[in-house]
Every structure is written in C-alpha cells, then in structure tokens.
Amino acid sequence: MKFLSVENLEAGYGPSPVISGISLELESGEFLAVCGPNGSGKSTLVKAVQKLIPWLRGKVLVNNRNLFELKTRQIASLLAYVPQVFEPVFDFSVEETVAMARYYRLTGRFAGLSERDRAAVEEAMKLSEVFNLRGKKLNELSGGERQRVLIARALAQDTPGLLLDEPSSHLDLNFQLQVYRLLRELQKERGKAILVAEHNLNLAAAYCSSLIFIKEGKIVARGRPENLLEKELVRQTFGVEVEVRTNLSTGLPEISLVHPGPGSGLIPARTPAGSGGEKVT
Amino acid sequence: MRPESRLRTLQLGLLLLTLLAFLLSLKLGPVKTSLDEVFRALLSGENELSDIILSLRFPRALLAYLVGACLSLSGAILQGYFRNPLADPFILGVSSGASLGAVLSLQLGLALNLAGLPAQSLLALLSSLLLVSGVYLVSERRPFQTTESLLLTGIAAGALASALTSFLLFRRADAYEQAVFWLLGSFSLADWRQVWLILGTLVLATFIAQYLARDMNLLSLGDETARSLGCPVRTVRRIFLLLATLLASFSVSVAGIIGFVGLIVPHAVRLIIGPDHRRLFLHSALAGGLFLLISDLMARTVLAPSELPVGVVTAAFGAPFFIYLLNRPRSS
C-alpha cells in the first residue's frame, strides 16, 4: 500500500530552494534511505516530509491526505521524526522525554497518560534499550544514549511512518547495527514505512530495501542497494573513488574507499629547506 | 529525595511559609498591633485598628504576593519560550518601555486615574505593551521566526527606550526623584482596585498557561521537535508571548520595576521539582508570590520607619543567587 507520495517537491530556508524536483514514493513496509554527500539536501528532504521546513512547494500525500492541509497534530499521528542529537536545555528524564510522544493523543488538556500510553512508552523504551536509563536525566547520557532516547520517543508516537535524520551519526558500531536491526524489524514485523537520511552507504545498503542518491538537491538515482552500489554512480554522487565488493557473509555489496597515495595535492608540497626556493641572505 | 516527595515538601513549605508571611505582614508596621487584633480585624472587621490592617496592610501584602506570582510566572514562561533558564520577564523590553512611559507621564504632569492606576502606571502599561508588540512585529517578518531574532530585537528596542528615558530625565531633572522612586518598585501605594486588577490578570494567565503547559514542554525541546510531536508552534508561541508580556506589564504598572523575582524563582523551583511545565508554572507562581511578600515585608521593616525600595531587597537576595547559578557546574 502506498503510504507516502512526493511530487515535484521544492524545499528550503530562504529564497533559493535546497532541494527541488523531488518525486518519490514510499510503500508501507518499505525501508528507504536517502544517501548523499554533506549539504546534498538529504536532511532537508526528510524534514520536508514532516513539514518542518519553512518554505515548501509541490505535493506531499501521506496516506492519500495532503500534508499541507493537515494539522500539526494530525501529521504527528502519521509520521514520527527522529532529529539529530542535540544538547538538552532542561533536565527532563528519559521517561518524561519519551512520554512526550503521547501528548498529541491526550484528549483532556489536564489529563495524564492512560494505561495504554504508559504501556506504549514502556515498550518503546525497551525496544530501543533505554528502559534501564528511564529515571536518568538527558544531560547525564552520552550522545549514543540520547540518540536511542530520541528513537524510543518516535516509537512511542506509534505512527505508520518513521523519519530519521542520520540516526547512526552518534552511535558506535554496535549500536549502529542495533538501531538498523530494530528499524528493519519494525519495517518487516509492523509494516512501518521508514525514510532515513544516512551518509553511511554500507549501513544503508545492508539494511534498507531501497536507496536514493541525492546530489545538490536533486535525486540522481533510485533502486535496490545491489543496483545502486556501483563504482561509477558512487563516484558521480559522492565524488570519491571506491571499490565495490560483495560481503561474503551477507552477499550484499559493500564499498571501500580507494585511498590515493601520498601527494593528493590537497596541501601543496613544501620545498625542503636549503634546496633552492628563496635564498636567505 | 524522590521527585514526588520533593514536590510534596515544596508544597507544604510554600503553604506554611505563605501563611506565616501573611500573618507577619498584617501584624508588623509602624502602628503596633497584636496577633489577636489582627485575627479580630480579619474575622469581624470591627476594631479601631481594622482600618490599618484591612485597608493598608492587607491589600499591600496581597498585591506584593500577586505581583510576585505574576512576575515569576512570566519568567517561567519566557525561560521555556527562549529555552534559556536565564531569561526573565523584562528580557523583551517591558521594563524599558514601562520606564519610558512612566517618566513621560511624570514630565507631562498628567493627572488621571483609571481602575486604581494613576497616570504614570497607565502610560507605563501602554508603552511597555507597545514596545513588545513592535519588537514582535519587526522580528516576525520571517517564515519561521527565530527566538534569537526576537531576543536581539527586544534588546535593541529596550536600549532605545532607555536612551529616550535618560534623555527625558536629563532635560527635566526635577522629575528625577519621583521617577527613581517609581522605577525602583514599591507597594506603598497599593489599594484594593489594584489587587483585583492583578488578581484577574494572574488567574486568567495561570489558567491559559496551565492549559498549554504540555506544549511548552514540547517547545523547550526545540521548534522542530515540538512540531513533529504535534505542537502548533507558531500559535502556541504567540499566546505564551502575549501572556508573559501582559503579566510583566501589569505587574510593572502597579509596582514599578522589581528585578530578579522572575529570574531566580522559576529557576530555583525548576531545580527542586524538575522542568515539567505542568508543575513548574503553578509552583513558580506560588513561590514567586511568597518571595515578593517576604521581600516587601523586609523592605518596610528592616530600616523602619523609613522604607527601602522592594527592588533593592529582591536584588540583594537575587544577585548572589544568580551568580551562583551562573557558576554552577552544568551537569547535575
């Protein structure tokens, strides 16, 4: 079932758009990664789908409803968003932070959480393994722990769609895998539609059902990971030379950087002292 | 201590201290009264001292309490609004706007009185509201208004208003003493009409703030996050800014500029019961009331028979605490 459809989307923060001409579709139960170099607009794309960008044009349908006509609360019932980790200003506890995901569902203005809300909060904390931290303040956590709290909050929102902005950026290798494994499970077991901005191509290729390459605000390629992880395409999109190999245990393609030898030309070579150049007299 | 028991302790402490402070405020003064006479005046209103107690000390104590509650609630709102625990009710120029209005009216020699407010109070109210509205309109001309632009515009506008105030005082030095007295803050002119005015403002604002407290929790995480969790950021921000400005402006109009209440009280309450605005708003208001009630009691008794400006007392408490907060290690 089609969950999200984006047509000819333009988005940005000022007069000139960061991304333009973006069209894509996302099915329920699909796990799509937007990959691109820094500044290519992948985060902007993910945010635009949640209407978090001030300047938007085009068409976005979520569950066949026009995003631009939906109330903030209605959007929050369809899509949950995991931002990049930030420094918290106030000392909310982990549990309080995750419980904020349920606010949009509370009917009475002065009502507390229902049993169902509590159960959802608890399950979300367990899924992203922050249940043991629930009484701690956000300020006491490491970047990786905070990242998992933000993921727990998005899970507690209990939406058919999940948007994530570089979820692996603050995580060590172990938790990168855990987060992506969790996302894949949510995709497969619960049929969630997941859209993630990710710069780690190997991670995206190993877990996502399809990839989009984005460069300078435009989509340059879309397809299954095995079709997209291709030497020439990666070079064109990211501007780096890579080798593509098949991971022996997963059978999926993997890239590795081709490291140029010394003398990359980034820093002009210095003339050794005493061998010509300016003469000191 | 567990968070719940900290909340209970705070509530109990506030209740007992507030009762005590009110009793002392009614008892102490230039005319000696006994507790017995205070109770009799409150209950029956029939004795020779009831006039002093009921129409001088009681409205004054109530007004100090209510203004403290208003300033503290205003500060709690703005600290959440700007995601900055060092924000205070005057950060957008309410105080500078009010000073300008008050000095202007003293210079013009206006003589009118509306709902218990003399001319300088009315002009102070009006000019502070005008100044903040101007600041808001100027900084709003962006698709997603940033709190930074609002803050900086507020500082600039405040500086301009202060410059004008200084110019006016410079031109007519005879109004100086009167202006300074007003600017430093005092409850010596309290009457019942002012009490009702501030009580109305406070009750209404507390209700609305409490109604939207959940959204303030979301806002304090950042606009983007708040929006993604279902908070209509723009509308909520407008309402909170209006509330905070009205609370501060009305307070200043009846009591002058009393610093530090709106800065340290919400901050201290947050340290005790945590940042959840559903509790913070109400308890900040209650604690702010108590703080200013005690401050005013001290202002009029410490150097009796002469009276200190209440702003001096709050600053004497507030400034050291503020410095302590600034130097506190970041993580708890």
Side-chain angles (χ1 to χ4, degrees):
Chain A
M1 194 185 81
K2 192 164 74 182
F3 173 68
L4 174 74
S5 124
V6 176
E7 272 173 54
N8 208 13
L9 179 73
E10 260 183 51
Y13 299 88
S16 60
V18 179
I19 53 173
S20 60
I22 301 282
S23 297
L24 63 89
E25 287 192 351
L26 182 66
E27 308 269 324
S28 293
E30 193 183 356
F31 188 176
L32 172 64
V34 185
C35 302
N38 289 342
S40 58
K42 52 185 188 298
S43 294
T44 307
L45 172 52
V46 169
K47 283 182 198 172
V49 174
Q50 174 76 298
K51 222 167 105 179
L52 301 177
I53 304 285
W55 196 84
L56 287 168
R57 219 159 61 184
K59 200 168 162 192
V60 180
L61 297 178
V62 188
N63 260 354
N64 286 321
R65 297 163 81 184
N66 185 346
L67 178 83
F68 299 142
E69 287 167 6
L70 291 178
K71 290 194 174 131
T72 327
R73 235 179 140 156
Q74 294 172 309
I75 299 176
S77 71
L78 293 166
L79 292 162
Y81 167 71
V82 179
Q84 294 199 19
V85 171
F86 56 90
E87 199 60 39
V89 178
F90 297 120
D91 284 340
F92 283 107
S93 74
V94 168
E95 192 166 13
E96 284 172 320
T97 308
V98 176
M100 288 186 199
R102 307 297 291 183
Y103 283 3
Y104 80 95
R105 294 169 163 265
L106 300 181
T107 40
R109 266 285 159 181
F110 301 101
L113 297 186
S114 68
E115 275 310 305
R116 218 182 127 209
D117 292 321
R118 282 180 205 291
V121 168
E122 189 178 322
E123 194 203 4
M125 288 194 293
K126 283 181 174 157
L127 278 176
S128 61
E129 301 188 39
V130 292
F131 189 68
N132 294 335
L133 305 172
R134 64 189 180 281
K136 290 220 174 202
K137 310 278 185 215
L138 282 192
N139 285 325
E140 301 165 358
L141 305 185
S142 71
E145 289 168 333
R146 275 182 218 161
Q147 179 80 72
R148 278 148 52 212
V149 172
L150 298 184
I151 291 171
R153 192 178 61 202
L155 296 182
Q157 218 170 320
D158 200 8
T159 52
L162 263 184
L163 308 166
L164 301 98
D165 190 3
E166 308 241 11
S168 70
S169 55
H170 280 266
L171 301 175
D172 63 25
L173 283 175
N174 180 28
F175 274 119
Q176 285 185 7
L177 294 185
Q178 279 191 28
V179 163
Y180 268 80
R181 222 175 279 151
L182 172 62
L183 291 175
R184 189 167 61 184
E185 230 163 86
L186 291 166
Q187 167 216 356
K188 296 231 191 290
E189 305 296 322
R190 311 226 171 148
K192 295 214 189 228
I194 304 175
L195 179 66
V196 51
E198 179 57 70
H199 64 271
N200 186 335
L201 272 179
N202 287 333
L203 200 54
Y207 286 94
C208 299
S209 48
S210 42
L211 303 182
I212 279 181
F213 279 5
I214 182 170
K215 186 188 180 187
E216 288 164 12
K218 295 205 163 38
I219 292 180
V220 290
R222 165 163 196 173
R224 301 186 54 77
E226 50 270 38
N227 301 330
L228 245 64
L229 251 59
E230 190 263 322
K231 209 173 156 176
E232 187 53 25
L233 195 54
V234 171
R235 193 181 65 79
Q236 279 174 12
T237 313
F238 291 85
V240 287
E241 296 293 339
V242 294
E243 288 292 349
V244 181
R245 283 180 274 216
T246 304
N247 182 313
L248 291 178
S249 59
T250 61
L252 288 163
E254 251 179 17
I255 58 160
S256 52
L257 292 173
V258 176
H259 294 284
S264 58
L266 288 177
I267 301 173
R270 217 186 271 167
T271 339
S275 64
E278 250 180 274
K279 275 200 179 145
V280 186
T281 48
Chain B
M1 251 199 290
R2 284 182 56 249
E4 282 309 314
S5 49
R6 295 171 85 146
L7 181 69
R8 297 281 166 265
T9 313
L10 177 74
Q11 286 170 339
L12 190 67
L14 284 177
L15 181 70
L16 293 179
L17 287 174
T18 305
L19 285 176
L20 184 67
F22 263 111
L23 273 184
L24 283 177
S25 300
L26 297 184
K27 185 184 179 309
L28 299 178
V31 179
K32 288 223 183 320
T33 47
S34 68
L35 268 186
D36 187 45
E37 283 162 330
V38 168
F39 281 121
R40 266 192 290 147
L42 280 178
L43 294 175
S44 61
E46 283 167 35
N47 64 39
E48 59 275 28
L49 294 168
S50 63
D51 226 25
I52 292 176
I53 292 168
L54 290 183
S55 46
L56 286 177
R57 291 185 192 166
F58 198 29
R60 177 168 181 160
L62 271 178
L63 191 66
Y65 185 83
L66 293 171
V67 166
C70 283
L71 287 174
S72 183
L73 177 59
S74 175
I77 290 174
L78 289 172
Q79 289 176 4
Y81 186 99
F82 287 110
R83 264 175 243 123
N84 189 335
L86 301 179
D88 84 341
F90 306 140
I91 201 160
L92 289 175
V94 166
S95 50
S96 327
S99 315
L100 179 60
V103 169
L104 196 65
S105 111
L106 290 172
Q107 303 243 322
L108 297 173
L110 291 179
L112 65 148
N113 196 310
L114 203 71
L117 297 180
Q120 74 259 35
S121 297
L122 289 170
L123 240 70
L125 180 64
L126 195 69
S127 67
S128 61
L129 291 178
L130 276 177
L131 186 107
V132 179
S133 316
V135 166
Y136 183 79
L137 289 176
V138 168
S139 69
E140 200 200 22
R141 297 155 61 105
R142 292 166 166 233
F144 273 21
Q145 181 185 33
T146 63
T147 49
E148 288 80 9
S149 70
L150 185 63
L151 201 58
L152 293 172
T153 315
I155 290 171
L160 186 65
S162 298
L164 277 171
T165 309
S166 306
F167 176 73
L168 288 176
L169 288 174
F170 170 75
R171 288 279 309 269
R172 291 262 320 266
D174 51 324
Y176 191 76
E177 206 175 317
Q178 231 184 327
V180 166
F181 173 77
W182 191 86
L183 293 180
L184 285 176
S186 167
F187 292 104
S188 56
L189 302 172
D191 72 18
W192 281 103
R193 284 175 303 174
Q194 297 181 349
V195 169
W196 299 130
L197 179 72
I198 299 300
L199 181 66
T201 312
L202 179 66
V203 168
L204 188 68
T206 307
F207 180 80
I208 298 174
Q210 207 60 38
Y211 188 84
L212 293 174
R214 239 160 42 196
D215 292 279
M216 183 56 99
N217 279 350
L218 298 181
L219 276 187
S220 70
L221 303 174
D223 283 10
E224 213 170 64
T225 301
R227 208 171 266 123
S228 77
L229 291 172
C231 166
V233 169
R234 214 179 161 113
T235 316
V236 171
R237 277 200 174 281
R238 271 193 196 148
I239 296 172
F240 272 123
L241 195 63
L242 183 68
L243 287 183
T245 306
L246 286 177
L247 285 166
S249 300
F250 274 101
S251 299
V252 169
S253 75
V254 297
I257 295 160
I258 302 169
F260 287 104
V261 185
L263 173 67
I264 59 168
V265 175
H267 202 124
V269 172
R270 194 182 295 109
L271 286 179
I272 300 171
I273 62 168
D276 191 332
H277 291 90
R278 288 172 295 183
R279 289 171 174 178
L280 186 68
F281 284 155
L282 194 62
H283 291 93
S284 292
L286 295 172
L290 174 63
F291 178 72
L292 202 51
L293 180 62
I294 295 174
S295 300
D296 184 50
L297 186 60
M298 291 178 72
R300 65 193 178 83
T301 52
V302 167
L303 288 184
S306 69
E307 204 174 284
L308 280 172
V310 65
V312 171
V313 179
T314 58
F317 279 126
F321 184 69
F322 186 69
I323 291 167
Y324 156 74
L325 287 178
L326 282 174
N327 293 303
R328 203 170 62 100
R330 186 67 191 87
S331 68
S332 42

